[in-house]
Amino acid sequence: MNAVPKTGEAHALPTEERRGVYRAIHERRDVRSQFLPDQIPDQILARLLDAAHHAPSVGFMQPWNFIVIRDRGVRGAVRDAFLQERVRAAALYDEPRRSQFLALKLEGILDAPLNLCVACDPTRDGPHVLGRSAVPETDVYSTCCAVQNFWLAARAEGIGVGWVSILQSVELKRILEIPAPVIAVAYLCVGYVSDFSDTPDLERAGWRTRVSLADLVFEDRWGRQEARVRTAFAGMGGAP
Ligand SMILES: Cc1cc2nc3c(=O)[nH]c(=O)nc-3n(C[C@H](O)[C@H](O)[C@H](O)COP(=O)(O)O)c2cc1C
């Protein structure tokens, strides 16, 4: 007689594969400093983009486009736009936070051999997209899911990704010749790395630490937390 799987486990991945998924999630980092100049082979880049293309999307609209950027002139123009916005962003902080912000390395636009802009075309499936009627931003949410798939698949391949959002959209769209209705959702620096840090760069720099999961989980209503729930989530984590 065949062994009957425990409830809910029938479709679980084998333990090693499950571990791999969680490992990629936990060991994914936003990379800015450790890029190596080695080119990413087209076949591997295709795999990463295909992972992105298999993200969930509202109404299955697949609103994304991917602009693969290697040209140094284009990357230089984006870096200039970053430097301008960095000055503007720094002015939003008071000292000593401002100096701390300016000391952070927040992009690897010219260090990484490849940059990727992930764009969202809200017109992709006509004006009425299944599931988008109440929340128009769901097309952008879908595009963020594609970014995350790309990021995790890249980690699994030993490739680092860094998201640069310190950029004015208008500037980025002008440089990349992105047409008016299309949204430039993410600008990513992509490349092999010398190492992946154990902790986020911002944590190591003393900017911010990870919030406890137990503080974030509510039950049934916003803000409701029973001691039992806090205890259950306080020690969460680890391998399956
Ligand atoms: C939408 C978004 C925008 C981000 N923009 C920047 C950025 O402009 N520069 C930067 O250095 N990191 C940026 N990051 C990376 C975060 O700082 C990073 O994810 C966070 O500090 C946690 O670190 P980890 O990704 O290594 O876990 C961005 C991340 C996201 C999701």
Side-chain angles (χ1 to χ4, degrees), residues 28-30 32 105-106 151 163-166 200 202:
R28 180 209 53 76
R29 284 277 75 82
D30 186 89
R32 309 104 195 228
K105 170 120 167 84
L106 295 173
W151 213 335
W163 187 324
V164 188
S165 57
I166 303 169
L202 290 188

Side-chain angles (χ1 to χ4, degrees), residues 1-18:
M1 209 170 89
N2 287 338
V4 180
K6 278 193 241 157
T7 316
E9 282 188 10
H11 304 293
L13 302 184
T15 306
E16 273 314 299
E17 294 177 23
R18 257 191 288 168

Side-chain angles (χ1 to χ4, degrees), residues 49-205:
L49 292 173
D50 194 46
H53 185 46
H54 279 74
S57 61
V58 66
F60 200 26
M61 80 180 283
Q62 305 154 74
W64 39 72
N65 282 93
F66 306 100
I67 309 177
V68 177
I69 304 151
R70 293 195 179 88
D71 186 280
R72 220 178 150 79
V74 175
R75 286 191 288 143
V78 175
R79 176 122 203 295
D80 289 347
F82 162 82
L83 289 174
Q84 275 185 16
E85 181 56 22
R86 176 175 172 265
V87 171
R88 219 184 63 82
L92 301 173
Y93 297 105
D94 294 325
E95 289 295 355
R97 205 62 166 162
R98 181 181 303 164
S99 298
Q100 203 187 350
F101 171 82
L102 287 169
L104 295 168
K105 170 120 167 84
L106 295 173
E107 55 76 40
I109 298 167
L110 293 176
D111 309 328
L114 189 146
N115 292 182
L116 181 75
C117 180
V118 186
C120 169
D121 182 355
T123 68
R124 176 76 31 98
D125 195 19
H128 306 297
V129 174
L130 188 156
R132 198 180 56 171
S133 59
V135 186
E137 298 84 4
T138 44
D139 47 21
V140 172
Y141 300 166
S142 306
T143 308
C144 288
C145 292
V147 172
Q148 181 71 341
N149 269 14
F150 182 91
W151 213 335
L152 291 174
R155 177 62 192 87
E157 300 278 0
I159 291 168
V161 174
W163 187 324
V164 188
S165 57
I166 303 169
L167 289 169
Q168 288 290 331
S169 266
V170 188
E171 263 305 279
L172 184 59
K173 286 180 64 171
R174 184 188 61 74
I175 295 164
L176 299 179
E177 300 176 9
I178 296 175
V182 175
I183 301 156
V185 173
Y187 193 86
L188 307 175
C189 306
V190 185
Y192 290 103
V193 295
S194 56
D195 65 286
F196 285 97
S197 312
D198 291 341
T199 46
D201 281 9
L202 290 188
E203 189 163 4
R204 280 189 300 132

